Amino acid sequence: MGPGSHHLSLGLLLLLPLLPECLGAEGRLAHKLFRDLFANYTSALRPVADTDQALNVTLEVTLSQIIDMDERNQVLTLYLWIRQEWTDAYLRWDPDTYGGLDAIHIPSSLVWRPDIVLYNKADAQALASSSTNVVLRHDGAVCWDWPAITRSSCRVDVSAFLFDAQHCGLTFGSWTHGGHQLDVQPRGAAASLADFVENVEWRVLGMPARRRVLTYGCCSEPYPDVTFTLLLRRCAAAAYVCNLLLSCVLISLLAPLAFHLPADSGEKVSLGITVLLALTVFQLILAESMPPAESVPLIGKYYMATMTMVTFSTALTILIMNLHYCGPSARPVPAWARALLLGRLARGLCVRERGEPCGLSRPPESSPSPQPPDRGTGPPAGPCHEPRCLCHQEALLRHVATIANAFHSHRAAQRRHEDWKRLARVMDRFFLGISFSMALVMSLLVLVRAL
């Protein structure tokens, strides 16, 4: 260790006895200032020199965190830092008289505090603010900072749920002092968001401040207040899209496939009912998380539209199956249905028989009606002496004619049955395209809104 370090250590040892005196002098001055200020001071009266003069209070709010947004009960819970500044006419001193001491920190319960409260709070608990200190300056300026967890009522609009934006106001004002006694002014045009902790569900767009002066029915004097409007937009739409929206989209795209199932599978109606039950479950889950409101949310409208489409699809499937299972005793397909549905529509939808190329549907055939054998061209009636004459086989010819008529009748009935089955396939293909197009368009509209 050099000689310089030795002299430095010696100097510190000489200064140590003087430090308590310096600190003690400042503490004694602070105690003397406190006794002088509060000797005849009372915190029960408004600290103004003239009682006819209004006391100006500046209000500043800093948003720290969004704790909860309860859409069902319409309650917003926030963590705020609140600062109030005013001038106390009875708490002033000359800094030179007290060794240059220009500010002190004292408990807030010792000084007069404005009775500014949150008008639209949603609970009966008072804001815990009595444990914080105030900063008192030599010119009488009082600065009171205190944290608060507020629960305020907020009217939630769920008409655009999943992609909604909410406007929640927090109104601060004096509870007993009118505008002639206490005037509230916001500091700046908006609340501070410098220390805001980002929320996973909501994105804060801003928190503008607005001062109003209202007159209530109970009192004649005006009451000023300051309203901070919190502008929120839901940013957790991805979770809702995956859990509620995407599942409904996939189910709605599955519903039109009931028209593609073969009628002989026996699962066409079962598929439609299963899809309808799945959509009902999702609708109930959505209804539990939404508040009762006059407007139906967008995803609720999508669910209802999809359920309506599935219901009509199931009803059409039942009607088409009725056409498919028309027996041989059914009437022939009407002529207009043959020309329009089995002709043009079948060619347009490529509904064809096996081995038949697309676009060349089988032309409608008229069922041949069996004719009884013409007796005018047969052998003449009466006794015939020829041993090999056909007249001796008349009974056999009648039996052959009966068999031929039965064969033609059966073939005509089968043809009618095949025509009805073909008509059912054409209707299945037609409604498959319509249902799938409707489901795709509705899903794309909702997904585009989501993106």
Side-chain angles (χ1 to χ4, degrees):
M1 182 179 294
S5 301
H6 177 73
H7 291 300
L8 180 60
S9 301
L10 182 61
L12 291 175
L13 291 175
L14 294 176
L15 289 176
L16 283 177
L18 299 179
L19 291 177
E21 294 185 7
C22 295
L23 296 176
E26 184 177 356
R28 285 194 298 271
L29 290 175
H31 280 79
K32 183 177 183 301
L33 173 61
F34 181 80
R35 289 194 300 269
D36 294 343
L37 289 177
F38 291 92
N40 298 316
Y41 182 82
T42 176
S43 61
L45 299 178
R46 194 165 50 96
V48 290
D50 186 2
T51 56
D52 294 333
Q53 180 183 2
L55 180 64
N56 296 322
V57 178
T58 303
L59 182 64
E60 181 182 0
V61 171
T62 300
L63 178 61
S64 178
Q65 186 180 1
I66 299 176
I67 298 178
D68 182 43
M69 166 66 88
D70 189 354
E71 291 97 343
R72 187 164 188 82
N73 296 318
Q74 301 193 19
V75 174
L76 174 65
T77 305
L78 300 176
Y79 179 49
L80 304 177
W81 297 345
I82 301 176
R83 168 175 292 185
Q84 300 180 32
E85 296 179 352
W86 67 92
T87 300
D88 196 315
Y90 302 111
L91 297 179
R92 295 177 178 175
W93 72 91
D94 184 6
D96 296 334
T97 307
Y98 298 92
L101 188 63
D102 61 347
I104 57 175
H105 294 74
I106 58 176
S108 60
S109 58
L110 299 178
V111 301
W112 178 89
R113 295 174 298 180
D115 59 340
I116 294 179
V117 297
L118 179 62
Y119 282 174
N120 59 329
K121 67 177 182 178
D123 57 2
Q125 298 180 357
L127 299 180
S129 58
S130 59
S131 60
T132 58
N133 293 339
V134 298
V135 179
L136 180 60
R137 301 191 180 277
H138 67 279
D139 57 353
V142 183
C143 181
W144 182 27
D145 292 324
W146 49 283
I149 296 179
T150 62
R151 287 173 52 86
S152 59
S153 58
C154 176
R155 184 172 182 178
V156 180
D157 182 15
V158 296
S159 59
F161 176 69
L162 293 187
F163 325 106
D164 53 333
Q166 305 297 336
H167 297 171
C168 298
L170 287 84
T171 303
F172 295 90
S174 175
W175 189 251
T176 58
H177 295 93
H180 300 310
Q181 297 177 338
L182 191 147
D183 188 15
V184 184
Q185 296 285 344
R187 178 181 292 276
S192 176
L193 302 176
D195 299 307
F196 176 68
V197 179
E198 295 293 335
N199 189 270
V200 296
E201 185 176 1
W202 297 95
R203 182 172 72 252
V204 178
L205 304 180
M207 197 173 180
R210 181 168 61 99
R211 179 179 179 272
R212 303 180 304 172
V213 178
L214 302 177
T215 302
Y216 298 96
C218 63
C219 312
S220 58
E221 57 182 331
Y223 280 81
D225 60 50
V226 176
T227 301
F228 294 90
T229 304
L230 183 59
L231 308 179
L232 300 174
R233 181 174 295 277
R234 196 182 298 271
C235 62
Y240 290 101
V241 167
C242 293
N243 296 330
L244 294 178
L245 185 58
L246 189 58
S247 301
C248 181
V249 169
L250 295 178
I251 292 175
S252 64
L253 294 178
L254 184 64
L257 295 181
F259 292 108
H260 194 63
L261 278 177
D264 296 331
S265 65
E267 298 294 333
K268 293 172 71 69
V269 179
S270 300
L271 178 60
I273 294 177
T274 303
V275 171
L276 190 60
L277 290 176
L279 292 175
T280 304
V281 171
F282 280 106
Q283 178 72 16
L284 292 176
I285 294 175
L286 178 65
E288 290 180 356
S289 60
M290 289 293 96
E294 297 180 358
S295 58
V296 181
L298 178 63
I299 187 173
K301 295 178 182 178
Y302 175 69
Y303 277 13
M304 294 303 297
T306 305
M307 292 172 65
T308 303
M309 184 192 69
V310 174
T311 303
F312 278 107
S313 299
T314 306
L316 289 173
T317 300
I318 295 174
L319 295 178
I320 293 173
M321 289 183 65
N322 191 20
L323 296 179
H324 177 83
Y325 285 107
C326 282
S329 60
R331 293 182 301 176
V333 177
W336 65 268
R338 282 181 173 276
L340 181 62
L341 301 180
L342 296 181
R344 298 179 182 179
L345 190 58
R347 287 194 298 269
L349 298 177
C350 288
V351 180
R352 60 188 185 276
E353 301 290 348
R354 291 184 178 180
E356 181 184 353
C358 181
L360 297 176
S361 62
R362 174 177 56 85
E365 299 178 357
S366 58
S367 301
S369 56
Q371 299 293 333
D374 188 2
R375 297 181 177 269
T377 59
C384 182
H385 302 284
E386 294 293 334
R388 297 181 179 275
C389 182
L390 293 178
C391 63
H392 298 289
Q393 310 295 331
E394 184 177 357
L396 179 61
L397 292 177
R398 284 198 301 268
H399 289 302
V400 171
T402 302
I403 294 174
N405 289 337
F407 175 76
H408 288 302
S409 299
H410 177 72
R411 192 172 179 184
Q414 290 296 328
R415 179 65 64 186
R416 290 196 299 270
H417 183 51
E418 291 297 328
D419 288 342
W420 283 114
K421 292 175 66 174
R422 183 181 175 85
L423 180 61
R425 289 198 303 271
V426 172
M427 299 303 294
D428 267 336
R429 188 71 60 86
F430 176 71
F431 287 114
L432 171 65
I434 291 181
S435 300
F436 190 80
S437 301
M438 291 178 59
L440 186 61
V441 169
M442 290 190 301
S443 303
L444 288 179
L445 288 177
V446 176
L447 291 177
V448 167
R449 179 70 181 271
L451 299 177

